[in-house]
């Protein structure tokens, strides 16, 4: 499949998953808690499951040899050359609250390296895409190339994280607080949208912990395609999730790593 055909297929995935999700948004729907053993609330909705079923069926029909790793239904053939990494609704808490800061994450890895990514926000009709070399936003207002902004100084940076309470108590939380104390402003609760706003030059730094691969894989080609950097806190690959730091300016990324690794 050519690059153009692959892009069209990802658009088809976005179209189909969006149709599955939108009837549930700002409506009454079933809600389950995936948390076990006193762990923090981890919601999943009927919309999450419905969208992933559609995505898996389309990928299986078009690329029967590809692997799939999804949030709701686990993994299959993850040793394949190409693996799709799916999060039908990243930002389920926002979805439940009727806030449009959630999105469908569709990522593709080849030999374990993220090569294509899309964040689709069907309610706002926005699609953020990237291949690690370039990134684009397509929206009702038109299309534009995504470029991160230059910001080398933590004191001038805008930082985002999903929820500071998600950092483990002790050293992990202390390192985040140390970094947050040095930035100009911080914002909470944007989930995948924070990374896309970083790619768009609105936010400078995103710091997270406890991520799964499906939370980050699709976003890496978008951020890096816009000129940013995404790694683990130790500077290694972020593909496996865990502790992740993304920055629009490589100099800011280096400064953040120094604080997170004292």
């Amino acid at each position: 499949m050519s690059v153009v055909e692959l892009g069209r297929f990802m658009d088809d995935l976005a179209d189909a998953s969006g149709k599955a999700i939108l009837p549930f948004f700002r409506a009454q729907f079933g809600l389950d808690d995936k948390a076990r053993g006193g762990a923090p609330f981890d919601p999943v909705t009927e919309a999450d499951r419905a969208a992933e079923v559609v995505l898996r069926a389309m990928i299986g029909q078009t690329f029967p040899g590809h692997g799939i790793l999804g949030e709701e239904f686990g993994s299959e053939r993850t040793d394949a050359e190409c693996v799709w990494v799916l999060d039908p609704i990243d930002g389920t808490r926002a979805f439940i609250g009727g806030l449009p800061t959630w999105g469908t994450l569709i990522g593709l890895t080849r030999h374990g390296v993220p090569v294509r990514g899309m964040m689709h926000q069907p309610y706002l009709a926005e699609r953020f895409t990237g291949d690690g070399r370039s990134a684009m936003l397509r929206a009702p207002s038109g299309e534009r190339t995504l470029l991160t902004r230059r910001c080398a100084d933590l004191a001038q940076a805008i930082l985002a994280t999903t929820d500071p309470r998600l950092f483990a108590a002790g050293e992990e939380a202390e390192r985040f607080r140390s970094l947050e104390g040095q930035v100009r402003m911080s914002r909470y609760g944007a989930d995948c949208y924070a990374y896309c706003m970083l790619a768009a030059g609105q936010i400078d730094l995103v710091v997270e912990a406890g991520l799964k691969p499906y939370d980050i894989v699709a976003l890496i080609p978008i951020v890096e395609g816009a000129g940013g950097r995404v790694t683990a806190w130790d500077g290694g690959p972020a593909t496996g999730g865990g502790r992740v730091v993304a920055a629009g300016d490589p100099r800011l990324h280096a400064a953040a790593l120094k604080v997170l690794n004292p």
Side-chain angles (χ1 to χ4, degrees):
M1 181 174 283
S2 71
V3 171
V4 172
E5 290 171 329
L6 180 61
R8 288 173 180 163
F9 178 67
M10 293 183 74
D11 278 333
D12 290 343
L13 293 176
D15 289 341
S17 59
K19 289 178 182 178
I21 291 169
L22 283 180
F24 295 95
F25 187 52
R26 297 182 179 174
Q28 298 298 315
F29 52 81
L31 176 66
D32 294 325
D33 184 0
K34 295 187 290 184
R36 298 290 183 270
F41 179 53
D42 187 10
V44 60
T45 71
E46 295 174 36
D48 291 91
R49 298 188 181 106
E52 189 165 322
V53 166
V54 168
L55 291 170
R56 284 176 176 267
M58 292 176 67
I59 292 168
Q61 182 176 9
T62 305
F63 297 108
H66 285 195
I68 301 175
L69 173 61
E71 180 176 14
E72 307 307 332
F73 298 106
S75 61
E76 51 187 273
R77 295 184 300 279
T78 52
D79 59 345
E81 176 182 343
C82 294
V83 178
W84 295 85
V85 185
L86 311 171
D87 191 346
I89 300 178
D90 183 82
T92 303
R93 291 172 178 82
F95 185 90
I96 292 168
L99 304 172
T101 52
W102 53 273
T104 299
L105 299 182
I106 303 170
L108 178 64
T109 66
R110 187 168 183 238
H111 299 303
V113 177
V115 293
R116 300 275 300 197
M118 174 185 286
M119 193 286 269
H120 179 217
Q121 215 307 326
Y123 186 74
L124 299 177
E126 292 183 336
R127 295 183 186 186
F128 297 82
T129 59
D131 61 5
R133 298 179 301 276
S134 64
M136 294 287 296
L137 166 61
R138 285 174 288 156
S141 58
E143 297 186 7
R144 69 181 177 95
T145 299
L146 295 174
L147 293 172
T148 60
R149 68 181 171 197
R150 301 300 89 190
C151 177
D153 187 355
L154 286 169
Q156 300 300 316
I158 298 174
L159 176 149
T161 192
T162 296
D163 189 332
R165 294 171 296 181
L166 297 179
F167 294 98
E171 184 181 29
E172 184 175 277
E174 290 171 4
R175 292 184 185 185
F176 172 75
R177 284 196 297 269
S178 177
L179 180 63
E180 186 179 29
Q182 299 182 47
V183 302
R184 186 176 195 177
M185 182 176 79
S186 57
R187 299 297 299 166
Y188 304 151
D191 295 283
C192 60
Y193 228 94
Y195 296 88
C196 293
M197 291 299 96
L198 187 150
Q202 304 295 133
I203 288 173
D204 303 297
L205 191 63
V206 181
V207 180
E208 306 266 39
L211 299 188
K212 302 298 184 183
Y214 43 73
D215 295 316
I216 191 65
V217 164
L219 298 165
I220 293 173
I222 299 172
V223 171
E224 294 187 344
R229 289 204 67 196
V230 186
T231 70
W233 284 19
D234 63 6
T239 311
R243 300 173 174 180
V244 170
V245 54
D249 189 318
R251 297 168 296 176
L252 186 67
H253 183 269
L257 289 187
K258 287 181 180 179
V259 178
L260 296 172
N261 298 279

